[in-house]
Amino acid sequence: MLPKLREKLLSYQRKTITLSELEKLMAPRTYDTFAEHVLELEDGNYLQMVKSKGRNGKAPSLAYQYRINKHLLQQKYHQELQRYRLKLHNAIHMDKYFRLPERVWKEDLPYLEKIHHYLETKGFPEENAPAPERSYELVGDEKWITDHGGAEVLERVHLWDKMKIFPVSDPLMFAINPAQIQEKRHLHLIIENKTTYHGLLPALTKTPFSTLIYGSGNKIVKSIENFPTQFPVFGDHRFFYFGDLDAAGINIWHSLNQKQKVLPAYPFYHACLAKEEAYGKTNQRIQKEALDAFLTNFPAEEQNHILSLFENGAYYPQEVLKSAELQRIWEETQWNFWISKN
């Protein structure tokens, strides 16, 4: 069976599939070719005829509906994973591949074999190294970790922390509130745009926040990796984010939140929603998963407001709030209350 077809059948949502749905899935050139593939799957018990639906009466004859034997479809793949579990270094954790498409495993395998060889011959590194240096040592490609998905592979097999890698992303840009350095809890506010960052900066020392961080759009998703080394202060660190209330801003927050838990700075967004909306960003596309996650931080009425906003092609830039209002909100909000709610 073709690997792509196996993956399509495994990802099919229902347990049964009609003949017409199967035809759309395979997109065959001729009926004879289609029938040949279906009968091969039927003979292998990967597709099981639903007898109550009957067969189409053509030559060769196919069932009108089939039950997908997903357990059998996964069997050979899982057997292969079991073989490699015994073959690869025992520090390479394989569990996640049993829940991932076979395609991911096939893409990762050449790199896992190189990592296995590295561990067998050199063991775990004793000193920290920049990502490109460690990447070249592991797989012979200095950009594998930073540009070609290597970081995700190492996370997937539980090796990232053990490989002693430090990121080489752009340094994080932030201002420090010296009055908060000795506190046990440290609050950090990440701002997407430069104008809003400078508008808030004069109020920093009047707030309970330890830092005001300039996110610089999407750059924050990578540069946040540098935070522990740039702000090596012991304590409970909590992050808030305020960006444009548009597709790009929410997508940035979601990507960042997947790497470092960060709450939307609700009081700022709440203030934006009371203003007159702007129009013009028609080329942006919001990720449904990002929007759904973002909306959980808002009451139902404001969730509907935000949904309506995007349906009408509108948005709120951060600049809708003037510096004086930004500073007042930052100074007067009980930020620990929003932490306790989450």
Side-chain angles (χ1 to χ4, degrees):
M1 188 197 316
L2 297 173
K4 286 185 179 179
L5 178 56
R6 181 189 289 114
E7 192 170 318
K8 286 180 180 179
L9 289 170
L10 284 170
S11 62
Y12 195 74
Q13 295 298 313
R14 296 194 297 276
K15 293 181 180 179
T16 60
I17 185 169
T18 66
L19 190 61
S20 59
E21 289 167 340
L22 198 56
E23 190 171 7
K24 289 178 183 176
L25 209 64
M26 292 187 182
R29 292 184 178 180
T30 65
Y31 177 79
D32 287 343
T33 302
F34 173 57
E36 182 183 345
H37 287 312
V38 173
L39 291 174
E40 181 185 345
L41 293 170
E42 195 175 334
D43 291 341
N45 210 33
Y46 298 109
L47 292 178
Q48 299 167 332
M49 172 186 173
V50 178
K51 293 182 180 179
S52 61
K53 302 295 182 180
R55 302 183 79 87
N56 64 3
K58 293 184 179 181
S61 177
L62 301 175
Y64 281 115
Q65 191 171 44
Y66 288 95
R67 186 170 291 104
I68 304 172
N69 189 342
K70 293 192 176 184
H71 175 74
L72 187 60
L73 284 168
Q74 290 177 312
Q75 193 174 62
K76 288 185 179 179
Y77 169 43
H78 286 181
Q79 287 172 346
E80 181 177 344
L81 290 177
Q82 293 289 8
R83 289 196 301 273
Y84 273 95
R85 178 176 261 166
L86 298 173
K87 180 179 177 181
L88 295 176
H89 193 282
N90 59 16
I92 299 174
H93 289 255
M94 304 279 291
D95 293 355
K96 288 192 176 179
Y97 289 107
F98 286 87
R99 302 188 296 274
L100 290 170
E102 186 175 1
R103 166 184 51 81
V104 178
W105 161 249
K106 294 296 185 186
E107 290 171 357
D108 289 1
L109 180 56
Y111 299 107
L112 294 179
E113 290 179 323
K114 291 180 180 181
I115 293 168
H116 162 80
H117 177 73
Y118 176 91
L119 292 174
E120 287 286 302
T121 56
K122 299 182 180 180
F124 288 103
E126 296 181 359
E127 297 180 354
N128 291 332
E133 179 182 323
R134 185 71 76 225
S135 185
Y136 188 77
E137 288 179 345
L138 290 175
V139 303
D141 178 358
E142 70 278 9
K143 294 184 178 181
W144 178 67
I145 289 175
T146 55
D147 298 353
H148 301 151
E152 290 79 5
V153 175
L154 292 174
E155 290 278 8
R156 192 146 46 232
V157 297
H158 298 186
L159 285 179
W160 177 262
D161 293 335
K162 296 178 182 178
M163 288 301 174
K164 296 193 173 183
I165 300 164
F166 61 79
V168 291
S169 52
D170 290 338
L172 196 63
M173 294 174 277
F174 58 87
I176 296 174
N177 182 357
Q180 296 296 317
I181 295 297
Q182 302 302 322
E183 297 296 325
K184 293 181 179 179
R185 169 173 282 178
H186 297 281
L187 306 184
H188 310 280
L189 177 59
I190 301 168
I191 298 298
E192 181 184 337
N193 296 335
K194 193 181 298 183
T195 301
T196 307
Y197 172 87
H198 285 292
L200 282 165
L201 188 56
L204 175 57
T205 56
K206 302 172 188 176
T207 74
F209 281 72
S210 298
T211 69
L212 175 65
I213 300 171
Y214 171 45
S216 188
N218 272 301
K219 288 185 179 180
I220 185 62
V221 180
K222 287 294 293 179
S223 61
I224 195 65
E225 297 171 347
N226 294 308
F227 183 80
T229 52
Q230 288 187 235
F231 193 80
V233 178
F234 179 78
D236 176 22
H237 295 275
R238 302 297 179 96
F239 294 83
F240 289 88
Y241 179 84
F242 177 44
D244 291 339
L245 191 44
D246 62 5
I250 292 174
N251 289 342
I252 292 169
W253 167 78
H254 186 247
S255 296
L256 177 61
N257 189 52
Q258 290 180 311
K259 298 186 72 171
Q260 166 65 62
K261 182 173 174 55
V262 54
L263 295 172
Y266 173 79
F268 293 118
Y269 289 109
H270 175 72
C272 287
L273 290 168
K275 306 291 184 180
E276 184 177 350
E277 63 269 27
Y279 293 84
K281 294 187 177 181
T282 57
N283 60 333
Q284 291 189 358
R285 294 292 179 269
I286 195 163
Q287 301 166 16
K288 184 181 185 301
E289 182 182 354
L291 179 59
D292 290 345
F294 185 77
L295 289 176
T296 60
N297 298 279
F298 293 80
E301 184 178 348
E302 291 185 340
Q303 289 185 25
N304 291 332
H305 186 166
I306 294 169
L307 288 171
S308 175
L309 189 77
F310 293 143
E311 287 173 2
N312 295 324
Y315 72 101
Y316 287 104
Q318 289 179 276
E319 291 80 4
V320 75
L321 301 180
K322 305 302 182 185
S323 295
E325 188 173 6
L326 286 166
Q327 293 173 24
R328 178 183 57 76
I329 293 169
W330 201 18
E331 293 175 34
E332 295 179 1
T333 296
Q334 298 298 313
W335 293 97
N336 282 316
F337 166 77
W338 294 106
I339 291 173
S340 66
K341 283 193 66 175
N342 293 272

